[in-house]
Amino acid sequence: MSLLSTSHLSLSIGEHRILSDISFSVDSGEIIGLIGPNGSGKTTLFNVLSGFLKPSTGTIHLHGEDITTLSPAKRARFGIGRVFQNFGIFRDMTLFENVLVALEALSKEERALKGDLRKVSMETLEMVGLQSHAHTKAGSLSGGQMRLLEIARTLMSGKELFLLDEPTAGVSPKLTQQVADLILQLKKQGKTVLVVEHDLPFIGRICDRVIVMDVGKVVLTGKPNEVKQSKGLRELYFGADPTT
Amino acid sequence: MAFVWHLVILIGTWLPGALTYTMIFGKGKILHFGPLGVSLMTSYATFLTLGATGSYPIAVLTGLGSAIAISAVFAWLSLRLEPDGFGIMSIAVHLSVLSVVLNWSSLTRGALGIPRLPRAPFPASQEGFALVMVVMCIVWVLGMWLLDRSSFGRKIAALAEHEWHSAALGVSRARVHFLAFMVGALGALFGTLPYHHYIGLLHPNDYQFPGLIFFVMLVVAGKPGSVFGVTISTILLVLLKELLRFVPLPPDILGPVRLILFGVILFAAVWYRRDTLFPKQRTV
């Protein structure tokens, strides 16, 4: 049974059709890349999957359970972790508090499994080399450090499915590699990742499968190499070749 | 010395409400302008029950129940409305409760208020009562400080900074808002009961608009969300309010002058904290 499946998901706002008949499924342990031009509906799809937007039609199943009507907080407790396109950290809190608040939001059983949450928070910061900044305000970090903190915080929360929205945007090549390592580490732990990215080499390095979206529809799916070779993708990003 | 005890008691009656209000309005950045509406309902429910039954425990339980009921209404509205819409609605709820109190004269005596309230089981002497208030305030400040540093404090701060990011972590906005307003209900109860016990009178004038302005001023001047900042601002501003009584001006001039002065203080405090007072608008 697949971990996540969507069936005929559509979203309309007023007369505008934002998402159209999106159906796909994701197995446990897969890393799926979600690509497409700006405005193709990738972030909107993430907002629907994580519960911030209600689909006009269609259903979402996680672990076989229908989660279409659950609130974002309930979906998070059900196992969906999200990294946002902008920096989703709390700038007025310290780094330590940023991680701690995520752990404290887990269900009672998950918190019990984690043990000492303060210790886990510090270990999370150590994992990304930010332990020396533990008690400084997160707002004082660089963009790359904020991104690392956010990803590490989401990963340590023990979710099953991670929705990462442009995790390498505004990040140096060195940190991009660190982010790739963190995602591959998740795969080793059997976790599932959906990642929206514009960095196609990055997608090619880490993903098992790629879903290509355009104007709110899924237009192409396949292994990274197959998608990369496809004429459809080139046309989507660079337009039709006038010589052919 | 009696005046010093009087000041201590007054500070003690303002502090619980101010500290719970800073948790909601200051730390949680929930645009709630109805704390006096909660206090008004709590005090009338308590003292009307006391008048009818003569039993303090029953009266306090009724007051607590009504504080919880109206706070639950505020919490529910805060979840259903946009922040600015809730701000306006909270004023509307406060004014609605006030108009019921003013117009249901057969029950509340309307604008006459209720004099000669039965004495609560507090020490009879002013010094003894002041000491009870000091102990209560120390316990309250410590309790609020612990709450501020607890998981709840972090969750309400996270929601204030970014609702979507908090929800994506699993922070339940409904649960946090309800808890915050319930703490507010307790603050209303522990503030209003000793106050009316002390002055022996329950009067709707104590719950008019200037009272709300004073509440907001305590929080904004003391630094929204700061337990110790608001404690200090409450002490200083209550002292200022009481000491202004000694200014040699006729009462019909002194009242408006005091209002103007508080308006200027509030304006200055809002201006000084304009970057941190209200939630930042962020997109996803």
Side-chain angles (χ1 to χ4, degrees), chain B residues 15-243:
Chain B
L15 201 53
L19 289 181
T20 52
Y21 188 49
T22 198
M23 180 63 76
I24 298 171
F25 176 78
K27 198 173 180 81
K29 305 222 183 299
I30 303 168
L31 292 181
H32 173 44
F33 297 115
L36 276 193
V38 179
S39 299
L40 173 64
M41 183 130 164
T42 308
S43 52
Y44 269 87
T46 306
F47 289 105
L48 288 174
T49 309
L50 185 60
T53 64
S55 160
Y56 235 99
I58 293 174
V60 171
L61 281 177
T62 309
L64 181 62
S66 62
I68 287 172
I70 191 168
S71 295
V73 169
F74 276 121
W76 182 79
L77 287 172
S78 76
L79 295 169
R80 290 287 174 274
L81 298 172
E82 290 297 314
D84 40 3
F86 173 66
I88 293 165
M89 183 61 91
S90 63
I91 294 173
V93 172
H94 172 195
L95 292 178
S96 304
V97 177
L98 187 60
S99 69
V100 169
V101 165
L102 283 169
N103 290 295
W104 197 352
S105 308
S106 59
L107 181 72
T108 64
R109 287 173 42 91
L112 295 173
I114 304 173
R116 294 183 299 279
L117 296 174
R119 308 298 289 173
F122 286 118
S125 71
Q126 196 189 27
E127 297 90 328
F129 185 53
L131 286 175
V132 169
M133 295 305 287
V134 169
V135 171
M136 195 181 87
C137 283
I138 291 171
V139 170
W140 198 265
V141 171
L142 282 175
M144 291 305 293
W145 181 73
L146 289 171
L147 193 63
D148 183 64
R149 294 170 63 86
S150 71
S151 162
F152 168 75
R154 282 184 284 278
K155 284 177 184 168
I156 196 169
L159 276 168
E161 194 170 339
H162 207 302
E163 192 187 316
W164 277 34
H165 293 162
S166 312
L169 293 174
V171 175
S172 165
R173 184 167 170 250
R175 201 175 295 176
V176 171
H177 275 215
F178 267 96
L179 187 54
F181 279 94
M182 290 307 120
V183 173
L186 282 180
L189 185 76
F190 283 100
T192 54
L193 295 195
Y195 175 71
H196 292 297
H197 162 84
Y198 179 60
I199 64 169
L201 170 72
L202 177 55
H203 200 281
N205 269 0
D206 289 329
Y207 298 95
Q208 299 278 9
F209 205 62
L212 170 63
I213 297 295
F214 191 66
F215 240 112
V216 176
M217 192 168 66
L218 296 178
V219 171
V220 177
K223 190 179 175 190
S226 164
V227 172
F228 294 121
V230 172
T231 303
I232 290 166
S233 73
T234 304
I235 293 168
L236 294 179
L237 288 170
V238 171
L239 287 180
L240 176 69
K241 191 178 172 187
E242 292 304 307
L243 292 175

Side-chain angles (χ1 to χ4, degrees), chain A residues 43 47 52 72-73 76-77 80-82 84-93 97 100-102 104-105 118 153 159, chain B residues 29 149-155 157-159 161-173 175 280 282-284:
Chain A
T43 298
N47 286 339
F52 292 106
R77 284 169 179 243
I80 296 181
R82 168 102 187 249
F84 288 88
Q85 197 172 347
N86 64 352
F87 297 118
I89 59 158
F90 306 112
R91 291 161 198 254
D92 294 337
M93 290 188 189
E97 288 171 327
L100 189 57
V101 75
E104 285 169 340
R118 291 179 171 270
R153 182 184 68 183
K159 311 285 188 216
Chain B
K29 305 222 183 299
R149 294 170 63 86
S150 71
S151 162
F152 168 75
R154 282 184 284 278
K155 284 177 184 168
L159 276 168
E161 194 170 339
H162 207 302
E163 192 187 316
W164 277 34
H165 293 162
S166 312
L169 293 174
V171 175
S172 165
R173 184 167 170 250
R175 201 175 295 176
K280 294 180 185 77
R282 291 189 184 142
T283 53
V284 173

